[in-house]
Amino acid sequence: MGVTLNLAEALTVLVAGFAAGAINAVVGSGTLVTFPVLLALGYPPVVANVSNTVGLVPGSLSGAYAYRHGLAGHRALLLRLGTASVLGALTGGILLLELPPGAFRAIVPVLIALALVLVVAQPWLARRLATHQHEDRPQAGPLLLAGVFGAGVYGGYFGAAQGVLLLGLLGVLLSTDLQWVNGIKNLLAALVNGVAAVLFIALGMVAWAPALLLALGSVVGGLVGGRWGRRLPPVALRAAIVVIGLAALVKLLA
C-alpha cells in the first residue's frame, strides 16, 4: 500500500514468488524468500506479511495439485486434518490483527527448532510409535489434530517454516512415508494460507501489486517444485527440510 513498483522491482517480486512456490511445494518456508523482499521494497511489516500470504495461496494450491494422486482415497483423514488447519488459520489470522507486533513471533524460533528435531528423529520415533500406528490405514489422533491446529495458528499469523512444522508432525504421528505426508502438508498449507488470505482481503489489508506478482510466480514455482520434489529420495528430502529449517532459524534470530 502506498508503494509503486518499477519494472526491476516487479521482476524481483515475480522471481521471488517463483522461488517461494517451488520451495513450499518441496518443503515449506518460501515466505523466508518473499517476506524480506517485500520489506526491502518499503512495505510495512504487517502489510508485507498479509500481501505475502495472499500472493502465495495460488502457489500452495498448485503444489498440492502436483501431489494429488497420492492423496486419493484418504478423504476422511484429509477432512479431519483440514478442519483442524482451517480453525487454526482463523485463530492465527485474528491473533495477527489483535496482538501487539512480536507477541506471537517470540516463540517461532522454538517451534521451528522443535520441528527440526522431529524431522531428524522421525525414523527412530516412528519405529517407537509403530505399535500405535497402522501404516495401511493412517489415523489422525488427538495429538496430531492438536499439532495441526497449532501449525495452522502459526501459519495464519506468519507462516515461515509452516511446512517444516507440518512435516515434522505428520512424519512422526501419521506415516513414515515422507513423500506422501509432503503431499498432505501442501494441501494443509494451502488451506491455511487460503483462509488467512480471505480474512485479510475482507479487511482490505492487501497490497495488490506485489500480491498478484507473487501469485503468478508461485503458481509456476509450485508446479515445478511439486514435480521435482516427488522425485527426491526420502534422505534428500529430509536433508532439504533441515537446511531450510535452519535457514529459517537464522533469519528469525538475526
Side-chain angles (χ1 to χ4, degrees), residues 6-68:
N6 60 37
L7 179 59
E9 291 170 338
L11 288 174
T12 298
V13 174
L14 187 66
V15 172
F18 174 84
I23 292 170
N24 283 339
V26 177
V27 181
S29 300
T31 289
L32 293 175
V33 175
T34 51
F35 182 69
V37 167
L38 297 185
L39 288 180
L41 293 176
Y43 292 96
V46 172
V47 174
N49 184 29
V50 166
S51 304
N52 176 74
T53 297
V54 173
L56 293 184
V57 169
S60 298
L61 292 172
S62 66
Y65 179 79
Y67 281 82
R68 66 194 182 281

Side-chain angles (χ1 to χ4, degrees), residues 48-188:
N49 184 29
V50 166
S51 304
N52 176 74
T53 297
V54 173
L56 293 184
V57 169
S60 298
L61 292 172
S62 66
Y65 179 79
Y67 281 82
R68 66 194 182 281
H69 298 300
L71 302 181
H74 297 282
R75 181 179 179 183
L77 172 68
L78 296 177
L79 281 175
R80 296 189 71 190
L81 294 175
T83 299
S85 287
V86 167
L87 293 175
L90 285 172
T91 303
I94 292 171
L95 286 174
L96 176 65
L97 302 176
E98 298 294 332
L99 292 180
F104 182 71
R105 193 177 174 185
I107 68 168
V108 167
V110 177
L111 294 176
I112 294 176
L114 175 60
L116 290 177
V117 171
L118 290 172
V119 169
V120 172
Q122 184 260 334
W124 177 80
L125 289 172
R127 288 193 296 270
R128 297 282 295 181
L129 294 169
T131 57
H132 305 290
Q133 294 185 26
H134 301 282
E135 291 293 330
D136 59 332
R137 191 172 290 180
Q139 299 294 320
L143 184 59
L144 177 58
L145 290 174
V148 169
F149 172 82
V153 174
Y154 171 43
Y157 189 87
F158 183 53
Q162 175 190 183
V164 176
L165 290 170
L166 284 170
L167 280 169
L169 289 165
L170 295 169
V172 171
L173 298 175
L174 184 64
S175 173
T176 57
D177 185 345
L178 200 57
Q179 289 290 358
W180 182 62
V181 298
N182 196 39
I184 296 177
K185 176 269 293 180
N186 285 342
L187 177 61
L188 298 183

